[in-house]
Amino acid sequence: MSKPEYIRIVEEVFEKFRGKPLIYVGKHILRWDAVAKVTGKALFTADFLKLYKNIVWVYSVRTKYAHALIKGIDVSEAAKVPGVLKVITANDIPGVNDVGYVIPDQPLIANRKVRYIGDIVALVVAEDPYIAREAADKIHVDYEPLPVYTDPEEIVDIMTLKEKPHTRIHEERDSDIVAHFKIRAGDVKKALEEADVVVENKYRTPMQEHAYIEPEAAIAIPEPDGGITVIASTQCPFDARRAIARVLGLPQNMVRVIAPFLGGGFGGKEDVVNEIGAKAALAAYMTGRPAVAIHTREESIIGHSKRHPAVMWYRHAAKKDGTLLAVEANIVLDTGAYASLGPFVAWRATVHATGPYKVRNARVDTIAVYTNTVYAGAFRGFGNPQVTFAIERQMDILAEELGMDPVDLRLKNILRVGDRTVHGQLLTEEHGVGLEEAIKKAVEVADWYRKRKEYANQTGTVRKGIGIALLYHGNSIGVEGADYSSATIIINRDGTITFRTGLTDMGQGAVWGLVLIAAEILGVPPSYFRVELPDTSSTPDAGPTVASRSTVMGGNATLVAAYKLRKRLNEVAAQILGCSPEDIEIKAPKVYCRSDPSKETTWHEVVEQSFWLGVPLQEFGYFRAPKAQWDEETGQGAPYITYTFGAIISEVTVDLETGAVRVDRAITAYDIGKVINPVGAEHHAEGGFIQGMGYALMEEILHSKEGYVYNPNLSTYYVPTIMDAPKEIIPIFVESGYKRGPFGAKGLGEPSIVAIAPSIVNAVSHATGIRFYEIPLTPHKIYLAAKKKGLIKF
């Protein structure tokens, strides 16, 4: 079977430019939206309010119980409040009352049952947001409370993964276990019998809040033809359109979704727009007026998905020389009240459950379970940070038991070219496997071996430590869904270029990387481009902006479109200059023959002649990843097209008397193939580290036994500030080169958080000599552990 044209083009460009100097790709160039953002001219969703008059406001009335049956609801008193236009309940929804992302388990408005404290029981539409809130207090709901479960171990047993007796949270299903994925490789029992050392521990990781600077927002505008336009803060405009259309009972071509600039996303704006966009759309549809729904910070924290809390049991077996023999794991992810993307998160966690190591014998079982907490979904890293924390703590403990240096143990077992992953996937030169180089560069910069020795026998109450953690992260979606992307490039008659894609830029600069790719292929400066923000009525469906796929998938689609245009432009220039198309060099504004630079014309002239000759200068680029392979019973196959690899080293100072941890220095070494946008890559390394540091040391959404959120705002939910950041974060990049990535590129957005927490906790353990098994590693936990070990007296 022949390769699709788009794959052939990507591979051809990779080989053509491999090792050659590039003009725009890999260079530090001011990105397209930088000035608008720093000067306050960029428009975010709420900024569009000033464009519309006669706006109505939507307020969500949420349940008072985390688990209860709804016996009845009375909205009559609220409907009489002056200024209230409509009170919407589940019975008023014209289409399907569901906004579930993967499975249809999440009603927009609860009608029979509530399952967590953020469930909506009614929407109040009013002339003023304060009137809406006042009316909400006048809605009376008759509840029959049910038992509340806030810990997944109340639902299942961690060792057997069997369900315990409990009141079913989703009674419409056979089980409150949402998903179950497995890996079966080799003979674990035999490997355990042959092992010299076995390390077995249980780990916990917390529920983490995205804490993006812009809370969720949507503005819906009714159109004259009965359609609805929704301006929303979303990572996935086409998915949002599908969900909103279903709720309204409209065909998708009657719903338009526009995604303006986003004030952060991190995965949290992947699914919540299904809810907030549908709320605004319902109000606009029913009142015939523009409607807005904007979450306060408290509503945002209570009402949108989080990182899955995890409980994990791991067993590692090894020989005396450090050779890994087997890995066993039971992994339980708490997906909260609704599945959201929980099944996909559980699958990715399973794929990465043994880390970037050669593991010939493995038994892994991962389940996602419902509880009565805030639902969990997509969050940067997507299941990998949880398992990587457990794996990398296990590797450090195993090194300690073996009397080996943690780096040496890892180097003995890491994946290299020619090795097979635990799934049986052969890693070749085409994948780009630069983990060993990343480790060695990080170790050298950190002065690892000297510091490990220096910090080994400290006394006193203030101590230093240094820790390492490794990662690998599958690029793009894998078997989670249709893995495609697209882009449109339009060369205008004056030589300027319009760039369109359905991929969103949530502040990470990914779309700028696509512009650099197009600029390199076409031979024109990035300043010639104008980026049009995603709009389902004009930009192509590029798939969701998730899974570190913008650069790899969107970049390939962009490359394909630019390549086809360049071919046509070369042919037109060849006619003008009298040389072959292969001899044409475009370095706009100049266009000339390489063999005879005196034969010269201009970019504008080539474009103008293309119009006169009838040569089309608009091109749609499409790329679809080769199909992933996965056996549901064994977890064998090729789950991802390629992997990003990384090594993180953290240096810390620990005050045993207060339990305070200061991260002094961080080295982040990533193999991301060709670095397309160096500024973006550096910022990912820095931002990912700081966000991961919060995960390691301070961040955790806490629920009461009744299911209430204890810390629903940023005064009680702590995130790192610039004062908490390390004094120095040193990003290192290894460009191993992935043959089917644009110019050899791989993704970095999600991997940049994956191994941060274990590197920090490993450093704290090194400083204190105490083994820690859960995060966040708060001062209280460190202080109590130090006191218990006798390191302090009070």
Side-chain angles (χ1 to χ4, degrees):
M1 183 178 178
S2 61
K3 292 179 183 176
E5 181 190 31
Y6 49 80
I7 289 182
R8 180 186 56 77
I9 290 172
V10 169
E11 291 182 348
E12 179 183 322
V13 169
F14 174 76
E15 295 297 343
K16 179 179 179 180
F17 288 90
R18 190 175 195 177
K20 294 182 180 178
L22 302 174
I23 300 172
Y24 305 115
V25 165
K27 301 299 188 292
H28 289 72
I29 301 172
L30 182 69
R31 63 188 249 192
W32 67 288
D33 58 349
V35 173
K37 285 182 174 177
V38 299
T39 58
K41 294 179 180 178
L43 296 180
F44 297 82
T45 298
D47 295 322
F48 285 84
L49 281 172
K50 59 189 175 186
L51 302 180
Y52 300 99
K53 297 179 180 180
N54 207 26
I55 289 174
V56 299
W57 295 79
V58 185
Y59 181 73
S60 301
V61 184
R62 300 183 189 270
T63 175
K64 295 179 180 179
Y65 295 92
H67 196 197
L69 298 175
I70 297 175
K71 309 301 287 185
I73 182 168
D74 182 359
V75 303
S76 58
E77 190 178 346
K80 295 175 184 177
V81 173
V84 171
L85 302 175
K86 180 76 176 175
V87 179
I88 304 171
T89 65
N91 293 333
D92 299 315
I93 293 176
V96 179
N97 183 21
D98 184 80
V99 289
Y101 199 90
V102 174
I103 59 178
D105 68 342
Q106 184 175 357
L108 174 64
I109 303 175
N111 56 352
R112 299 188 309 274
K113 189 179 187 181
V114 291
R115 297 179 174 89
Y116 86 113
I117 208 65
D119 261 334
I120 298 166
V121 295
L123 300 174
V124 179
V125 184
E127 301 280 2
D128 181 277
Y130 300 103
I131 292 174
R133 290 190 179 203
E134 177 190 343
D137 292 334
K138 300 181 184 300
I139 291 175
H140 304 289
V141 183
D142 182 14
Y143 295 102
E144 181 183 315
L146 298 171
V148 174
Y149 306 99
T150 59
D151 187 331
E153 288 194 274
E154 295 176 298
I155 306 296
V156 295
D157 182 278
I158 184 65
M159 296 309 297
T160 65
L161 300 183
K162 301 292 186 183
E163 244 181 310
K164 296 179 179 179
H166 69 284
T167 300
R168 188 76 53 80
I169 296 170
H170 280 267
E171 68 288 344
E172 75 280 8
R173 294 174 55 88
D174 294 334
S175 169
D176 277 335
I177 296 175
V178 185
H180 183 184
F181 298 102
K182 313 169 193 174
I183 293 177
R184 300 290 186 267
D187 188 335
V188 173
K189 183 179 179 182
K190 182 180 178 182
L192 287 169
E193 291 170 352
E194 295 174 352
D196 297 310
V197 178
V198 175
V199 171
E200 179 180 333
N201 292 294
K202 182 179 175 182
Y203 298 91
R204 279 185 175 269
T205 59
M207 176 177 282
Q208 186 182 19
E209 156 68 18
H210 300 82
Y212 28 66
I213 196 167
E214 176 204 28
E216 302 80 11
I219 302 169
I221 305 98
E223 300 294 350
D225 63 355
I228 295 286
T229 294
V230 179
I231 303 168
S233 183
T234 175
Q235 294 176 223
C236 310
F238 287 87
D239 288 350
R241 180 180 67 171
R242 182 172 61 250
I244 294 167
R246 275 171 52 82
V247 170
L248 296 179
L250 293 175
Q252 290 183 27
N253 63 1
M254 295 290 284
V255 176
R256 176 188 181 193
V257 175
I258 299 169
F261 288 113
L262 271 67
F266 311 115
K269 290 178 180 173
E270 186 172 342
D271 56 357
V272 71
V273 73
N274 291 5
E275 175 201 311
I276 197 162
K279 290 190 295 190
L282 268 176
Y285 187 73
M286 292 183 175
T287 64
R289 292 167 57 177
V292 59
I294 299 177
H295 283 171
T296 63
R297 182 61 65 182
E298 287 80 3
E299 286 180 298
S300 177
I301 289 180
I302 290 171
H304 86 259
S305 63
K306 304 289 179 283
R307 185 183 302 286
H308 287 76
V311 183
M312 299 163 286
W313 171 85
Y314 265 85
R315 178 189 285 160
H316 279 60
K319 291 182 178 179
K320 290 179 183 177
D321 65 358
T323 302
L324 276 178
L325 292 179
V327 176
E328 277 194 290
N330 289 342
I331 300 162
V332 178
L333 297 180
D334 177 359
T335 201
Y338 298 106
S340 179
L341 284 101
F344 292 166
V345 174
W347 180 76
R348 185 177 280 265
T350 305
V351 172
H352 296 87
T354 61
Y357 303 106
K358 291 174 284 188
V359 178
R360 295 177 178 84
N361 305 288
R363 195 276 303 162
V364 175
D365 285 274
T366 304
I367 62 172
V369 302
Y370 290 119
T371 61
N372 296 119
T373 61
V374 177
Y375 67 98
F379 196 138
R380 189 185 206 170
F382 210 75
N384 201 358
Q386 293 94 316
V387 296
T388 298
F389 172 72
I391 296 158
E392 293 302 302
R393 285 298 295 130
Q394 283 285 96
M395 292 299 287
D396 254 39
I397 294 169
L398 188 58
E400 187 178 336
E401 293 292 326
L402 290 165
M404 292 181 69
D405 183 274
V407 167
D408 295 341
L409 175 64
R410 287 169 169 86
L411 284 171
K412 187 173 185 64
N413 291 284
I414 59 168
L415 292 166
R416 297 174 172 87
V417 170
D419 290 329
R420 291 188 180 273
T421 66
V422 70
H423 333 95
Q425 183 175 8
L426 179 65
L427 299 179
T428 68
E429 291 281 359
E430 291 186 1
H431 290 96
V433 185
L435 180 55
E436 182 173 9
E437 185 180 350
I439 295 170
K440 290 181 175 178
K441 285 186 174 182
V443 165
E444 181 182 1
V445 171
D447 196 8
W448 170 272
Y449 290 107
R450 182 186 67 80
K451 289 179 179 176
R452 284 290 291 193
K453 186 176 180 180
E454 179 184 331
Y455 301 157
N457 299 301
Q458 297 175 82
T459 57
T461 58
V462 178
R463 302 183 181 184
K464 289 186 174 292
I466 185 169
I468 189 170
L470 308 185
L471 71 113
Y472 78 143
H473 193 83
N475 282 204
S476 205
I477 295 176
V479 300
E480 297 166 32
D483 209 353
Y484 65 91
S485 195
S486 62
T488 298
I489 301 174
I490 302 169
I491 302 176
N492 304 301
R493 196 158 184 172
D494 63 354
T496 60
I497 302 171
T498 302
F499 181 79
R500 295 173 176 168
T501 181
L503 295 169
T504 60
D505 196 313
M506 59 197 92
Q508 83 278 35
V511 172
W512 184 237
L514 309 191
V515 170
L516 296 179
I517 290 166
E520 191 71 50
I521 296 293
L522 292 173
V524 302
S527 59
Y528 282 31
F529 287 77
R530 179 179 183 272
V531 176
E532 292 190 355
L533 294 172
D535 181 337
T536 58
S537 68
S538 60
T539 54
D541 183 354
T545 311
V546 301
S548 299
R549 62 192 301 276
S550 293
T551 297
V552 178
M553 301 298 293
N556 277 341
T558 301
L559 184 151
V560 169
Y563 176 94
K564 292 180 178 180
L565 286 170
R566 179 62 187 264
K567 284 280 192 181
R568 293 178 207 149
L569 291 165
N570 279 8
E571 290 171 0
V572 172
Q575 291 184 42
I576 296 171
L577 299 175
C579 57
S580 71
E582 292 74 24
D583 194 27
I584 293 295
E585 185 71 62
I586 300 179
K587 289 187 177 179
K590 294 182 179 180
V591 180
Y592 56 90
C593 301
R594 290 192 195 92
S595 59
D596 184 359
S598 66
K599 293 182 177 180
E600 180 183 316
T601 185
T602 66
W603 167 258
H604 185 272
E605 180 60 23
V606 173
V607 171
E608 180 67 18
Q609 285 301 311
S610 297
F611 276 87
W612 281 106
L613 293 170
V615 176
L617 293 185
Q618 308 86 30
E619 188 58 63
F620 172 78
Y622 176 87
F623 185 86
R624 185 182 182 95
K627 188 174 182 179
Q629 299 168 4
W630 181 260
D631 185 285
E632 291 288 345
E633 292 303 314
T634 65
Q636 297 300 293
Y640 290 106
I641 52 175
T642 192
Y643 299 87
T644 294
F645 296 90
I648 313 299
I649 294 178
S650 296
E651 300 178 36
V652 303
T653 300
V654 183
D655 186 332
L656 297 175
E657 290 182 328
T658 65
V661 174
R662 173 75 195 181
V663 181
D664 301 312
R665 188 169 182 248
I667 295 93
T668 66
Y670 293 107
D671 164 25
I672 59 170
K674 181 63 183 176
V675 179
I676 301 293
N677 176 10
V679 175
E682 290 161 7
H683 289 172
H684 267 305
E686 294 164 358
F689 187 92
I690 295 170
Q691 192 174 48
M693 184 180 72
Y695 186 50
L697 298 176
M698 62 186 74
E699 295 189 45
E700 182 175 18
I701 291 289
L702 297 169
H703 290 80
S704 70
K705 290 183 178 179
E706 296 77 27
Y708 295 99
V709 176
Y710 277 129
N711 48 345
N713 55 59
L714 296 181
S715 67
T716 50
Y717 180 88
Y718 303 128
V719 296
T721 69
I722 196 65
M723 299 301 292
D724 300 303
K727 294 179 181 178
E728 189 176 24
I729 300 175
I730 303 173
I732 299 169
F733 298 106
V734 173
E735 297 186 309
S736 64
Y738 167 50
K739 186 175 182 179
R740 290 182 174 175
F743 294 97
K746 298 191 282 189
L748 179 60
E750 304 225 34
S752 60
I753 196 175
V754 168
I756 309 304
S759 75
I760 292 171
V761 176
N762 285 344
V764 173
S765 287
H766 179 228
T768 63
I770 302 170
R771 293 179 178 179
F772 295 100
Y773 305 99
E774 67 177 73
I775 52 175
L777 201 53
T778 59
H780 181 68
K781 292 175 184 175
I782 294 172
Y783 170 79
L784 290 179
K787 186 176 180 181
K788 184 177 181 180
K789 192 168 182 178
L791 300 179
I792 52 176
K793 296 180 180 179
F794 56 86

